[in-house]
Amino acid sequence: VSGTGAAPVVISGNTVTGNGGAAYVGSGSLYLSYAELKDNTVTSNGGAIYQASGTMVIAAGTLITGNTAGNKGGAIYQNGGTAQILAGTISNNRAPVGGGIAQTATGANCTVFDGVKLYENVSTVSNTGNDIYSAYDATPAWELVQNKSKMTLEAVANLGTPPCNVC
């Protein structure tokens, strides 16, 4: 899904009973560039994107904002596959666990690169990661901290005033 800087592709306002308000990645690939996934709602996981397997790349000009999940991953829920978040903004999303990104499956791998803006996401359950939740750590509730076994964060910025840049 690719738009241009002046005319991004917009997927918004969906209400889904289940997973993936804007996209569901089963097998195959999802590539987002100059796309806006906003104001989508799901009853389960992945307010904007649910990734079961396959490959996902989020690139320049992508905005994921205002999405809500009833369980995990207000913006993105990764249950499998490989994800590379190269650029873009993930902000103001909401879920009980992992307001921004939630990852819980053993086969899931996600890398968030330098320049990604990940901020002001809300987890409504205490200690379950406003911006990122990963079940791979002994303390899965973390906010842009050090490297983890499956979700890789490098050169992490201070969580001060948004926008915070990740790795």
Side-chain angles (χ1 to χ4, degrees):
V1 179
S2 294
T4 65
V9 173
V10 178
I11 301 173
S12 68
N14 295 311
T15 301
V16 174
T17 300
N19 301 309
Y24 184 102
V25 183
S27 58
S29 300
L30 173 65
Y31 178 86
L32 295 173
S33 175
Y34 293 98
E36 294 181 6
L37 310 180
K38 60 184 185 176
D39 303 324
N40 299 290
T41 302
V42 299
T43 58
S44 194
N45 301 309
I49 302 168
Y50 180 95
Q51 184 181 15
S53 63
T55 302
M56 177 174 63
V57 175
I58 297 174
T62 300
L63 173 64
I64 303 175
T65 189
N67 300 286
T68 303
N71 190 22
K72 295 178 182 169
I76 299 168
Y77 178 76
Q78 189 189 28
N79 194 40
T82 301
Q84 292 186 330
I85 303 173
L86 306 173
T89 300
I90 300 171
S91 67
N92 298 301
N93 299 286
R94 178 182 210 78
V97 175
I101 302 169
Q103 177 195 63
T104 59
T106 57
N109 292 288
C110 181
T111 305
V112 179
F113 287 84
D114 185 27
V116 173
K117 295 173 184 72
L118 183 61
Y119 64 94
E120 294 184 0
N121 297 289
V122 175
S123 172
T124 58
V125 175
S126 295
N127 300 315
T128 59
N130 284 328
D131 293 311
I132 300 172
Y133 170 90
S134 178
Y136 293 109
D137 187 29
T139 56
W142 46 289
E143 303 285 329
L144 311 181
V145 292
Q146 71 275 8
N147 292 338
K148 301 299 175 191
S149 59
K150 293 288 182 177
M151 186 172 291
T152 306
L153 300 175
E154 299 172 357
V156 178
N158 182 338
L159 271 181
T161 305
C164 300
N165 292 316
V166 180
C167 25

